[in-house]
Amino acid sequence: MIDVVVIGGYLGSGKTSLVNHLLRTGTGRSTLVLVNDFGAVAVEPELVTASDGELLTLANGCVCCSLSSPLIETLVALRERADRPELLVIETSGVADPEPIAHHAMIPGFRLAGIVVVADAETVRARSEHALVGRTVQRQLTAAGLVVLNKVDLVASAERDRLHAWLAIAAPSAVVVDAQHGEVPVALVVGPDLATATPGIGEPDDHDHPTDHDHDHPADHDHDDHDHAATDPHRTITWRAGGPVDREALLAILGDVDAGIVRAKGVLTFADRPDRQEMVQVVGRRVHLTALPDRARDTAADGRLVLIGLPPHFDPAALEAHLHTTRAE
Amino acid sequence: MPTTIFVARKVVTMHRSNPTATAVAVRDGRVLAVGTVEECQAWGEATIDTTFADKVLIPGFVEAHGHTMDALVASFPYVGFFDYPLPDGTVAKGVKSYRDMLDALRAADAELPPGQTLLANSFDPIYFPDEPRLTREHLDLVSTERPIYVRHASGHLATVNSGLLAKEGIDRDCPTPGVARGPDGEPNGELQEAPAMSLAVDAFKVTSRAMFDPRVVGIHAELCRNAGVTTSTELVGGMLIAPQIEDAWRAAAEAPETPVRMVLYNMPSMPGSSADHGAAADAAVALAQRDTPKFRNKGAKLVLDGSIQGWTAVLLWPGYITGTDHGQLLMSPEETVEAVRAFHRRRLNVHAHCNGNATAEMFIDAVEQVLAEDAWLDHRHVVQHSQTTLPHQYRRMARLGLAANIFSNHIWYWGDQHASLTLGPDRARGMWACRTALDMGVPLSLHTDSGVTPIGALSPMWCAVNRVSYRGDVLGEHERITPYEALHAVTVGAAHQLHMDDEIGSIEPGKRADFAVLDESPLDVDPMAIRDIGVWGTVVGGVVYEAPRPGSTTS
């Protein structure tokens, strides 16, 4: 199954900056990025291993192209390919409603790993009231699980606070992270990598070095965003369920504003459906559950849930204790 | 240099200085002279062709907004409401009731090998307001074994039977949004939007747009010939998105047996994604340099919103009278300006799909801004569909040099629904405002959006002249235009919008010898009889193409 992240946001909000940041940093997984405007892709030439004008292949496992047929047809063809990626990132157009686009990720072969909407701190409020495009901007924010509030350096801190208060209503399902130049920890956008998560409570920045997992990558490579990642205040924990969990109890925790969860991903079995595994993906307060077909049974990740959050709301020890209470008898 | 003189009962030229004639001389595929046989003989030796001695020749109809996808409407069992013409000259009968539809499906079922999925096309629930929603229970009356997939005319829905649900494993646990459910929580057979429709894997693969497949050109051209159309515009051309198809399309259009000139307005990107418009416009300039007589690439097609009957067009206040407003803006105002600017600077015109008056306003604003930067006065950018454009907008369009291509066929096909379900009777009378456009001085064309309604100019003319709906109501008598104005719109008017009025659109010395061969002149018959005029066939570049005449119907 291919994880799908949808990146939306109005024209000029910084979607392209975020996508370029993803492409440069890599995701640690084989990734296809369907960009809205191929001409706007900007990565350093030394990262590129192949380019034919319509398809760009990067050393970090990312491949980038734009749509040349309807999205649904692209996805139906993609899932049949032997070289299909593990992760698909879809950058939408500036006026797209990301919600119906995310529905494309809920067909067999795919699972939705979140809707990320980029908002321009300087203009998003005015845009949301614009006679012609206001409704479009409102729909984008409504659909978001994660809002990347971009260009925060261009507004005063009081205005930033007002924006956060406003977004709590305008983007009711979203967690908001501040950003400049579209640069946010990659794991917040694409979700944590279950394959490399280790149980316990991680260090502040230990989820943000996906290229470390790329064995082809030179060990001494100097990360562009190293300084940025080192000061990343987010924390990560990996919780082991140890058996079936209670669905309602878990969903209540994952949807709780005060838990401070930005991103979570795991493979769990719920007590009401002990016959199957379900992939749990959380972005902000949006929880996406996908039943895994038997052939996709993931024994390695079974019963593990990786959570990324922002202190002080995100209290790893308290959260672990809280999660333990969801274990079914 | 051989010259042929075609003799006709009447030649209607749409050329003011010689409005009618009885003969046309043709040399090298172009009109040499128009007048009497004697006048034409002034050019020397000529063969006299009397094939059309009892026919009327008019300029070949120019379709300035069609789609070659109409070739696919006819490729599956047809369950649309209105009769649909087929390339062999027969007609697929429309279904007027659920019983008709089930009969049509049973007939198709009887002809298919066991196990093969039965696909039917063009069902439109808007015409069956008194029937319950179509569900698997209806289709199960045809078969519960054979998978059945009925695609709706909107392209946004399909209804399937229990056999198909079982085959594809679509059950109550299916997580895909758009799988509609009955009160019992089981799928009721309705699959809404592309992700849910794609669950019917076999059917989806067959019906999903064989996008840009050159094989549709030949079938589309036959439909054009049968309707008197000699130039047809594919308004969602794919040459910029999929440049690798160019050679195959040119070969299909240039084949001697293809009876139509194809004009393409190409999309700079897939609808719903953005493009580097400067690069796209550069590519369009290069494309146009490779034009051949029957394969022409022009400017850009932009899609700015959805449809009115789908409630996805973007309207100014007060919006839709019933139904939820699902208005979908498909390009931002900023991107619209960028796209118009890029093509305008390269002297290529832009055709923008604006069903709603809010998107018409956005496009007019964009043209105004670009025109102030760059004074190409004869740009002829076109508001396409222009179904709800308002008088003040036509006034601006006239000042700014914009043209309108109005989807007048809606008056007959959906006029009743617009009066009752979308805009209400008062504003429905002001839709397709052809009279207003002409009186304000906006150059006008009329189109079919072929694939949505059948290709051919007589029906759009009939609608613009009579404004009669399917139910028989006159919808907006004050917006009627005359038969002459309507004929001008589908010949010279359309050619003008394509920047081809120096070449086609009238029967005039120097222009291409493109004629529609009719039984009667649309200017001479009772206006209510315009759409019933028989079409013998066409002449394209002096080559005669006769339409088949089986005189029978199939379903």
Side-chain angles (χ1 to χ4, degrees):
Chain A
M1 276 191 154
I2 302 171
D3 278 335
V4 180
V5 174
V6 177
I7 297 180
Y10 193 72
L11 193 79
S13 58
K15 284 193 307 295
T16 303
S17 304
L18 175 60
V19 166
N20 282 331
H21 171 64
L22 279 185
L23 287 171
R24 289 188 195 116
T25 312
T27 66
R29 289 179 271 170
S30 64
T31 302
L32 175 64
V33 184
L34 285 175
V35 293
N36 177 44
D37 179 357
F38 191 76
V41 172
V43 292
E44 291 69 15
E46 58 270 24
L47 297 178
V48 178
T49 55
S51 168
D52 73 349
E54 285 161 28
L55 193 80
L56 198 66
T57 307
L58 305 182
N60 60 24
C62 289
V63 173
C64 167
C65 64
S66 59
L67 269 186
S68 60
S69 59
L71 178 60
I72 190 70
E73 291 176 33
T74 302
L75 297 193
V76 167
L78 184 64
R79 71 182 174 203
E80 289 169 6
R81 291 175 59 133
D83 61 346
R84 60 185 173 272
E86 296 167 84
L87 174 66
L88 174 68
V89 177
I90 301 171
E91 181 197 3
T92 71
S93 87
V95 290
D97 179 354
E99 184 75 48
I101 290 174
H103 292 171
H104 290 70
M106 296 159 88
I107 63 172
F110 297 88
R111 60 194 177 210
L112 183 61
I115 299 174
V116 177
V117 171
V118 187
D120 179 341
E122 282 195 300
T123 61
V124 63
R125 282 188 77 162
R127 289 254 188 258
S128 77
E129 290 161 10
H130 186 276
L132 199 52
V133 304
R135 205 163 33 162
T136 300
V137 173
Q138 291 164 24
R139 282 182 194 148
Q140 291 172 343
L141 293 172
T142 305
L146 179 73
V147 170
V148 175
L149 187 60
N150 198 27
K151 310 185 190 179
V152 287
D153 49 320
L154 301 180
V155 298
S157 66
E159 172 60 12
R160 190 196 308 191
D161 292 344
R162 281 195 293 275
L163 274 172
H164 276 262
W166 176 75
L167 283 169
I169 296 158
S173 304
V175 164
V176 180
V177 292
D178 292 345
Q180 299 175 29
H181 312 297
E183 290 179 4
V184 292
V186 167
L188 295 188
V189 177
V190 304
D193 187 355
L194 283 184
T196 57
T198 48
I201 298 173
E203 291 307 307
D205 67 342
D206 72 348
H207 59 262
D208 197 35
H209 290 267
T211 46
D212 288 353
H213 312 307
D214 186 342
H215 302 296
D216 298 331
H217 214 276
D220 60 352
H221 179 79
D222 189 17
H223 285 266
D224 286 346
D225 61 340
H226 192 269
D227 292 339
H228 182 74
T231 57
D232 175 16
H234 292 89
R235 302 288 303 273
T236 303
I237 66 169
T238 300
W239 175 65
R240 281 194 175 282
V245 299
D246 183 84
R247 188 184 299 270
E248 296 307 320
L250 185 82
L251 292 181
I253 294 174
L254 297 179
D256 180 6
V257 187
D258 295 328
I261 301 165
V262 180
R263 260 287 184 188
K265 182 176 182 178
V267 176
L268 297 177
T269 299
F270 290 100
D272 57 356
R273 288 300 296 264
D275 55 316
R276 67 183 191 189
Q277 291 180 322
E278 292 179 46
M279 172 66 73
V280 180
Q281 307 218 56
V282 181
V283 195
R285 280 180 283 292
R286 293 196 62 157
V287 182
H288 310 289
L289 300 175
T290 314
L292 295 182
D294 280 345
R295 65 177 183 284
R297 262 194 103 75
D298 193 335
T299 43
D302 191 23
R304 274 199 301 180
L305 186 63
V306 182
L307 304 104
I308 305 173
L310 191 63
H313 283 311
F314 189 79
D315 177 344
L319 185 58
E320 268 205 307
H322 204 173
L323 287 168
H324 285 331
T325 67
T326 68
R327 288 171 171 163
E329 293 311 314
Chain B
M1 224 175 290
T3 301
T4 303
I5 297 174
F6 290 103
V7 178
R9 191 172 94 231
K10 186 171 189 179
V11 181
V12 177
T13 66
M14 301 311 283
H15 177 212
R16 191 175 291 270
S17 23
N18 267 318
T20 58
T22 51
V24 186
V26 173
R27 182 185 289 175
D28 287 343
R30 298 166 77 179
V31 175
L32 183 68
V34 185
T36 62
V37 172
E38 293 72 29
E39 286 170 343
C40 290
Q41 281 172 328
W43 285 91
E45 197 179 318
T47 309
I48 295 192
D49 187 323
T50 58
T51 312
F52 310 133
D54 64 343
K55 300 291 176 191
V56 173
L57 294 185
I58 66 168
F61 293 130
V62 179
E63 172 58 84
H65 185 160
H67 302 292
T68 51
M69 291 301 297
D70 60 350
L72 293 189
V73 172
S75 305
F76 305 104
Y78 176 77
V79 290
F81 185 76
F82 291 98
D83 293 354
Y84 210 97
L86 300 175
D88 64 2
T90 61
V91 170
K93 291 295 285 178
V95 300
K96 303 297 186 199
S97 66
Y98 275 20
R99 178 180 297 185
D100 280 358
M101 175 169 55
L102 296 183
D103 286 347
L105 292 174
R106 284 191 188 98
D109 176 61
E111 287 182 14
L112 274 187
Q116 191 176 323
T117 300
L118 166 55
L119 286 169
N121 210 1
S122 302
F123 171 68
D124 196 344
I126 204 166
Y127 298 116
F128 302 99
D130 300 330
E131 295 276 8
R133 217 172 171 78
L134 186 73
T135 66
R136 66 184 160 93
E137 290 174 21
H138 297 102
L139 303 182
D140 285 349
L141 296 174
V142 177
S143 173
T144 52
E145 308 268 312
R146 176 196 299 289
I148 301 177
Y149 181 93
V150 176
R151 192 170 183 272
H152 293 215
S154 70
H156 291 280
L157 293 173
T159 307
V160 304
N161 71 339
S162 298
L164 191 140
L165 291 172
K167 173 173 179 256
E168 303 291 356
I170 305 167
D171 59 21
R172 62 187 302 131
D173 287 336
C174 178
T176 308
V179 177
R181 287 173 166 78
D184 57 356
E186 293 293 330
N188 68 10
E190 188 167 290
L191 306 177
Q192 304 163 346
E193 299 297 341
M197 290 166 76
S198 78
L199 298 173
V201 179
D202 292 346
F204 176 79
K205 283 189 178 167
V206 177
T207 58
S208 68
R209 281 185 74 143
M211 207 159 182
F212 315 140
D213 186 333
R215 286 173 299 184
V216 298
V217 172
I219 301 172
H220 175 72
E222 292 175 352
L223 291 166
C224 288
R225 171 200 62 204
N226 299 354
V229 174
T230 54
T231 296
S232 180
T233 308
E234 168 56 86
L235 215 69
V236 295
M239 299 299 136
L240 297 178
I241 298 169
Q244 71 278 7
I245 65 178
E246 181 190 336
D247 292 344
W249 271 68
R250 177 175 287 106
E254 285 296 334
E257 66 274 17
T258 301
V260 78
R261 262 176 238 294
M262 286 304 307
V263 176
L264 282 81
Y265 275 79
N266 293 299
M267 297 181 294
S269 64
M270 285 298 299
S273 59
S274 308
D276 178 340
H277 289 107
D282 281 339
V285 169
L287 253 178
Q289 284 165 355
R290 297 192 288 275
D291 275 353
T292 47
K294 283 164 68 187
F295 186 67
R296 319 293 288 268
N297 283 281
K298 295 287 185 174
K301 163 70 176 297
L302 306 179
V303 182
L304 303 186
D305 66 0
S307 75
I308 298 163
Q309 72 273 28
W311 290 276
T312 49
V314 185
L315 291 173
L316 297 170
W317 195 88
Y320 295 96
I321 189 165
T322 61
T324 316
D325 184 346
H326 297 290
Q328 281 177 0
L329 193 63
L330 298 181
M331 275 180 83
S332 66
E334 297 90 334
E335 272 187 295
T336 305
V337 171
E338 252 179 58
V340 172
R341 179 185 288 130
F343 284 84
H344 183 95
R345 278 198 189 288
R346 290 163 182 82
R347 303 301 182 245
L348 293 171
N349 71 334
V350 174
H351 289 226
H353 162 126
C354 307
N355 269 321
N357 43 29
T359 39
E361 187 103 354
M362 179 172 90
F363 182 56
I364 296 166
D365 287 347
V367 170
E368 182 169 41
Q369 181 179 334
V370 169
L371 201 53
E373 300 165 0
D374 176 7
W376 178 31
L377 298 181
D378 194 23
H379 54 78
R380 313 181 199 180
H381 299 311
V382 182
V383 175
Q384 283 289 355
H385 296 322
S386 201
Q387 296 205 73
T388 57
T389 308
L390 297 167
H392 80 270
Q393 296 175 324
Y394 282 118
R395 199 172 293 121
R396 288 184 69 201
M397 286 166 63
R399 299 281 291 186
L400 295 169
L402 282 145
N405 193 0
I406 295 181
F407 195 175
S408 57
N409 260 1
H410 257 257
I411 299 170
W412 164 260
Y413 284 91
W414 287 279
D416 297 324
Q417 286 73 29
H418 290 305
S420 59
L421 296 174
T422 68
L423 294 200
D426 55 338
R427 285 182 300 152
R429 286 193 290 270
M431 294 174 74
W432 323 285
C434 300
R435 177 83 273 145
T436 297
L438 287 178
D439 288 356
M440 299 283 180
V442 176
L444 176 70
S445 181
L446 307 170
H447 68 276
T448 64
D449 202 11
S450 66
V452 178
T453 67
I455 189 99
L458 293 171
S459 170
M461 284 179 65
W462 182 91
C463 285
V465 167
N466 298 296
R467 296 193 66 104
V468 174
S469 74
Y470 175 73
R471 205 170 61 188
D473 294 347
V474 173
L475 202 61
E477 59 177 313
H478 302 294
E479 289 293 350
R480 282 175 169 160
I481 59 174
T482 67
Y484 181 87
E485 289 167 330
L487 182 57
H488 187 275
V490 297
T491 53
V492 180
H496 173 263
Q497 301 183 350
L498 305 175
H499 282 274
M500 289 176 74
D501 54 333
D502 57 336
E503 195 185 330
I504 56 171
S506 58
I507 302 179
E508 190 179 331
K511 289 201 180 182
R512 296 192 184 274
D514 290 2
F515 316 133
V517 184
L518 306 183
D519 291 342
E520 301 292 340
S521 164
L523 305 185
D524 295 341
V525 299
D526 175 345
M528 283 297 284
I530 288 174
R531 65 176 176 181
D532 302 319
I533 293 172
V535 178
W536 182 92
T538 56
V539 177
V540 179
V543 180
V544 175
Y545 296 99
E546 184 176 3
R549 222 163 308 281
S552 63
T553 60
T554 63
S555 57

